[in-house]
Coordinates of all heavy atoms in Angstrom, one line a residue:
E205 N -31.3 -13.7 -1.8 CA -31.3 -13.2 -0.4 C -30.3 -12.0 -0.3 O -30.6 -11.1 0.4 CB -30.9 -14.3 0.6 CG -31.0 -13.8 2.0 CD -30.7 -14.9 3.1 OE1 -30.4 -16.0 2.7 OE2 -30.9 -14.6 4.3
M206 N -29.1 -12.1 -1.0 CA -28.2 -11.0 -0.9 C -28.8 -9.8 -1.5 O -28.6 -8.7 -1.0 CB -26.9 -11.4 -1.5 CG -26.0 -12.4 -0.7 SD -24.3 -12.5 -1.1 CE -24.5 -13.6 -2.6
L207 N -29.5 -9.9 -2.6 CA -30.1 -8.8 -3.3 C -31.2 -8.2 -2.4 O -31.3 -6.9 -2.3 CB -30.7 -9.1 -4.6 CG -29.7 -9.5 -5.7 CD1 -30.4 -10.1 -6.9 CD2 -28.8 -8.3 -6.1
D208 N -31.9 -9.0 -1.6 CA -32.9 -8.5 -0.7 C -32.2 -7.7 0.5 O -32.6 -6.7 0.9 CB -33.7 -9.7 -0.1 CG -34.7 -9.2 0.9 OD1 -35.5 -8.3 0.5 OD2 -34.8 -9.8 2.0
L209 N -31.0 -8.2 0.9 CA -30.3 -7.6 2.0 C -29.7 -6.2 1.5 O -29.7 -5.2 2.2 CB -29.1 -8.4 2.5 CG -29.5 -9.7 3.2 CD1 -28.3 -10.6 3.4 CD2 -30.2 -9.4 4.5
I210 N -29.3 -6.2 0.2 CA -28.8 -4.9 -0.4 C -29.9 -3.9 -0.4 O -29.8 -2.7 0.0 CB -28.3 -5.2 -1.8 CG1 -27.0 -5.9 -1.7 CG2 -28.1 -3.9 -2.5 CD1 -26.5 -6.5 -3.1
Q211 N -31.1 -4.3 -0.8 CA -32.3 -3.4 -0.8 C -32.6 -2.9 0.6 O -32.9 -1.7 0.8 CB -33.5 -4.0 -1.5 CG -34.6 -3.1 -1.7 CD -34.2 -1.9 -2.6 OE1 -33.6 -2.1 -3.6 NE2 -34.4 -0.7 -2.1
K212 N -32.6 -3.8 1.6 CA -32.9 -3.4 3.0 C -31.9 -2.3 3.4 O -32.2 -1.4 4.1 CB -32.9 -4.6 3.9 CG -34.1 -5.5 3.8 CD -33.9 -6.6 4.8 CE -35.1 -7.6 4.7 NZ -35.0 -8.7 5.6
A213 N -30.6 -2.6 3.1 CA -29.6 -1.6 3.5 C -29.8 -0.3 2.8 O -29.7 0.8 3.5 CB -28.2 -2.2 3.2
K214 N -30.1 -0.3 1.6 CA -30.4 1.0 0.8 C -31.6 1.7 1.4 O -31.5 2.9 1.5 CB -30.6 0.7 -0.7 CG -29.3 0.3 -1.4 CD -29.5 0.1 -2.8 CE -28.2 -0.2 -3.6 NZ -28.4 -0.5 -5.0
D215 N -32.6 0.9 1.8 CA -33.8 1.6 2.4 C -33.4 2.3 3.7 O -34.1 3.2 4.1 CB -34.9 0.5 2.6 CG -35.5 0.0 1.4 OD1 -35.3 0.6 0.3 OD2 -36.2 -1.1 1.4
L216 N -32.4 1.8 4.4 CA -31.9 2.4 5.6 C -30.9 3.5 5.4 O -30.3 4.0 6.3 CB -31.4 1.3 6.6 CG -32.5 0.4 7.1 CD1 -31.8 -0.8 7.8 CD2 -33.4 1.1 8.1
N217 N -30.6 3.8 4.1 CA -29.5 4.7 3.7 C -28.2 4.3 4.2 O -27.4 5.2 4.7 CB -29.9 6.1 4.2 CG -31.1 6.7 3.5 OD1 -31.3 6.5 2.3 ND2 -32.0 7.3 4.3
L218 N -27.9 3.0 4.2 CA -26.6 2.5 4.6 C -25.7 2.3 3.4 O -26.2 2.1 2.3 CB -26.7 1.1 5.3 CG -27.5 1.1 6.6 CD1 -27.7 -0.3 7.1 CD2 -26.8 1.9 7.6
N219 N -24.4 2.4 3.6 CA -23.4 2.2 2.5 C -23.5 0.7 2.2 O -23.5 -0.1 3.1 CB -22.0 2.6 2.9 CG -21.9 4.1 3.1 OD1 -22.4 4.8 2.4 ND2 -21.2 4.4 4.2
V220 N -23.5 0.3 0.9 CA -23.5 -1.1 0.5 C -22.5 -1.2 -0.7 O -22.5 -0.4 -1.6 CB -24.9 -1.5 0.0 CG1 -24.9 -3.0 -0.4 CG2 -26.0 -1.2 1.0
V221 N -21.8 -2.3 -0.6 CA -20.8 -2.6 -1.7 C -21.1 -4.1 -2.1 O -21.2 -5.0 -1.2 CB -19.4 -2.5 -1.3 CG1 -18.4 -2.9 -2.4 CG2 -19.1 -1.0 -0.9
K222 N -21.2 -4.3 -3.4 CA -21.3 -5.7 -3.9 C -20.0 -6.2 -4.3 O -19.2 -5.5 -4.9 CB -22.2 -5.7 -5.2 CG -23.6 -5.4 -5.0 CD -24.3 -5.5 -6.4 CE -25.6 -4.7 -6.4 NZ -26.2 -4.8 -7.7
I223 N -19.6 -7.4 -3.9 CA -18.4 -8.1 -4.3 C -18.7 -9.1 -5.3 O -19.5 -10.1 -5.0 CB -17.6 -8.7 -3.1 CG1 -17.2 -7.6 -2.1 CG2 -16.4 -9.5 -3.6 CD1 -18.1 -7.2 -1.1
V224 N -18.3 -8.9 -6.6 CA -18.6 -9.8 -7.7 C -17.3 -10.5 -8.1 O -16.3 -9.9 -8.3 CB -19.2 -9.0 -8.8 CG1 -19.5 -9.9 -10.0 CG2 -20.5 -8.3 -8.4
D225 N -17.4 -11.8 -8.3 CA -16.2 -12.6 -8.8 C -16.7 -13.5 -9.9 O -17.6 -14.3 -9.8 CB -15.7 -13.5 -7.6 CG -14.4 -14.2 -7.9 OD1 -13.7 -13.7 -8.8 OD2 -14.2 -15.3 -7.3
Y226 N -16.0 -13.3 -11.1 CA -16.4 -14.0 -12.3 C -17.9 -13.9 -12.6 O -18.6 -14.9 -12.8 CB -16.0 -15.5 -12.2 CG -14.5 -15.7 -12.3 CD1 -13.8 -15.9 -11.1 CD2 -13.8 -15.6 -13.5 CE1 -12.4 -16.1 -11.1 CE2 -12.4 -15.7 -13.5 CZ -11.7 -16.0 -12.3 OH -10.4 -16.1 -12.4
D227 N -18.4 -12.7 -12.5 CA -19.8 -12.4 -12.8 C -20.8 -13.0 -11.8 O -22.0 -13.1 -12.1 CB -20.2 -12.8 -14.2 CG -19.4 -11.9 -15.3 OD1 -19.2 -10.7 -15.0 OD2 -19.1 -12.5 -16.3
H228 N -20.3 -13.4 -10.7 CA -21.2 -14.0 -9.6 C -21.1 -13.1 -8.4 O -20.0 -12.8 -7.9 CB -20.8 -15.4 -9.3 CG -21.0 -16.4 -10.4 ND1 -22.2 -16.8 -10.8 CD2 -20.1 -16.9 -11.2 CE1 -22.1 -17.6 -11.8 NE2 -20.8 -17.7 -12.1
L229 N -22.3 -12.7 -7.8 CA -22.3 -12.0 -6.6 C -21.9 -12.9 -5.5 O -22.5 -14.0 -5.2 CB -23.8 -11.5 -6.3 CG -24.0 -10.7 -5.1 CD1 -23.1 -9.4 -5.0 CD2 -25.5 -10.3 -4.9
T230 N -20.7 -12.7 -4.9 CA -20.2 -13.6 -3.9 C -20.3 -13.1 -2.4 O -20.3 -13.8 -1.5 CB -18.7 -13.9 -4.2 OG1 -18.0 -12.6 -4.2 CG2 -18.5 -14.6 -5.5
A231 N -20.4 -11.7 -2.3 CA -20.5 -11.2 -0.9 C -21.0 -9.7 -1.1 O -21.0 -9.1 -2.1 CB -19.1 -11.2 -0.3
I232 N -21.4 -9.2 0.1 CA -21.8 -7.8 0.2 C -21.2 -7.2 1.5 O -21.0 -8.0 2.4 CB -23.3 -7.5 0.1 CG1 -24.0 -8.3 1.2 CG2 -23.9 -7.9 -1.2 CD1 -25.5 -8.0 1.3
A233 N -20.9 -5.9 1.4 CA -20.4 -5.3 2.6 C -21.4 -4.1 2.9 O -21.8 -3.4 2.0 CB -19.0 -4.7 2.4
I234 N -21.8 -4.1 4.2 CA -22.8 -3.1 4.6 C -22.2 -2.3 5.8 O -21.7 -2.8 6.7 CB -24.1 -3.7 5.0 CG1 -24.7 -4.5 3.9 CG2 -25.1 -2.7 5.6 CD1 -25.9 -5.3 4.3
G235 N -22.3 -0.9 5.7 CA -21.8 -0.1 6.8 C -20.6 0.7 6.4 O -20.2 0.7 5.2
P236 N -20.0 1.3 7.4 CA -20.3 1.2 8.8 C -21.6 1.9 9.2 O -22.1 2.8 8.4 CB -19.1 2.0 9.4 CG -18.6 2.9 8.4 CD -18.9 2.2 7.1
A237 N -22.1 1.5 10.3 CA -23.4 2.1 10.8 C -23.6 1.9 12.2 O -22.9 1.0 12.9 CB -24.6 1.4 10.0
D238 N -24.5 2.6 12.8 CA -24.8 2.4 14.2 C -25.6 1.1 14.4 O -26.2 0.6 13.5 CB -25.8 3.6 14.7 CG -25.1 4.9 14.6 OD1 -23.9 5.0 14.8 OD2 -25.8 5.9 14.3
K239 N -25.4 0.6 15.6 CA -26.1 -0.7 16.0 C -27.6 -0.7 15.7 O -28.1 -1.7 15.3 CB -25.8 -1.1 17.4 CG -24.4 -1.5 17.7 CD -24.4 -2.1 19.1 CE -23.4 -1.2 20.0 NZ -23.3 -1.7 21.3
E240 N -28.2 0.4 16.0 CA -29.7 0.5 15.8 C -30.1 0.2 14.4 O -31.1 -0.5 14.1 CB -30.2 1.8 16.3 CG -30.1 2.0 17.8 CD -30.9 1.0 18.5 OE1 -32.1 0.7 18.2 OE2 -30.4 0.5 19.5
K241 N -29.4 0.8 13.4 CA -29.7 0.5 12.0 C -29.4 -0.9 11.6 O -30.1 -1.4 10.7 CB -29.0 1.5 11.1 CG -29.6 2.9 11.1 CD -29.0 3.7 10.0 CE -29.7 5.1 9.9 NZ -29.2 5.9 8.8
L242 N -28.4 -1.5 12.2 CA -28.1 -2.9 11.8 C -28.9 -4.0 12.4 O -28.8 -5.1 12.0 CB -26.6 -3.1 12.1 CG -25.6 -2.2 11.3 CD1 -24.2 -2.4 11.8 CD2 -25.7 -2.4 9.9
K243 N -29.8 -3.6 13.3 CA -30.6 -4.6 13.9 C -31.5 -5.4 13.0 O -32.0 -6.5 13.2 CB -31.5 -4.0 15.0 CG -30.7 -3.7 16.3 CD -31.6 -3.2 17.4 CE -30.7 -3.0 18.7 NZ -31.5 -2.5 19.8
V244 N -31.8 -4.8 11.8 CA -32.7 -5.4 10.8 C -32.0 -6.7 10.3 O -32.7 -7.6 9.8 CB -33.0 -4.4 9.7 CG1 -31.8 -4.1 8.8 CG2 -34.1 -5.0 8.8
F245 N -30.7 -6.8 10.5 CA -29.9 -8.0 10.0 C -29.6 -9.0 11.1 O -28.9 -9.9 10.8 CB -28.6 -7.5 9.3 CG -28.8 -6.5 8.3 CD1 -28.5 -5.2 8.5 CD2 -29.3 -6.8 7.0 CE1 -28.7 -4.2 7.5 CE2 -29.5 -5.9 6.0 CZ -29.2 -4.6 6.3
K246 N -30.2 -8.8 12.2 CA -29.9 -9.6 13.4 C -30.2 -11.1 13.3 O -29.6 -11.9 14.0 CB -30.5 -9.1 14.7 CG -32.0 -9.2 14.7 CD -32.6 -8.7 16.0 CE -34.1 -8.9 15.9 NZ -34.8 -8.5 17.0
D247 N -31.1 -11.5 12.4 CA -31.5 -12.9 12.2 C -30.6 -13.7 11.3 O -30.8 -14.9 11.2 CB -33.0 -13.0 11.8 CG -33.9 -12.5 12.8 OD1 -33.6 -12.6 14.0 OD2 -35.0 -12.0 12.5
L248 N -29.7 -13.0 10.7 CA -28.7 -13.8 9.8 C -27.8 -14.6 10.6 O -27.3 -14.2 11.7 CB -27.9 -12.8 9.0 CG -28.7 -12.0 7.9 CD1 -27.8 -10.9 7.3 CD2 -29.2 -12.9 6.8
P249 N -27.5 -15.8 10.2 CA -26.6 -16.7 11.0 C -25.2 -16.2 10.8 O -24.8 -15.8 9.7 CB -26.8 -18.1 10.3 CG -27.4 -17.8 9.0 CD -28.1 -16.5 9.1

């Protein structure tokens, strides 16, 4: 799911950073961006 979110962000030309800990993807950072572009992520809890 995180890799899918990374691809969605890249498709919107948003800045994306992967946070990897001990070779495991643990988090991602997306943005900064305008609210309109971030609406694609609105269904995440």
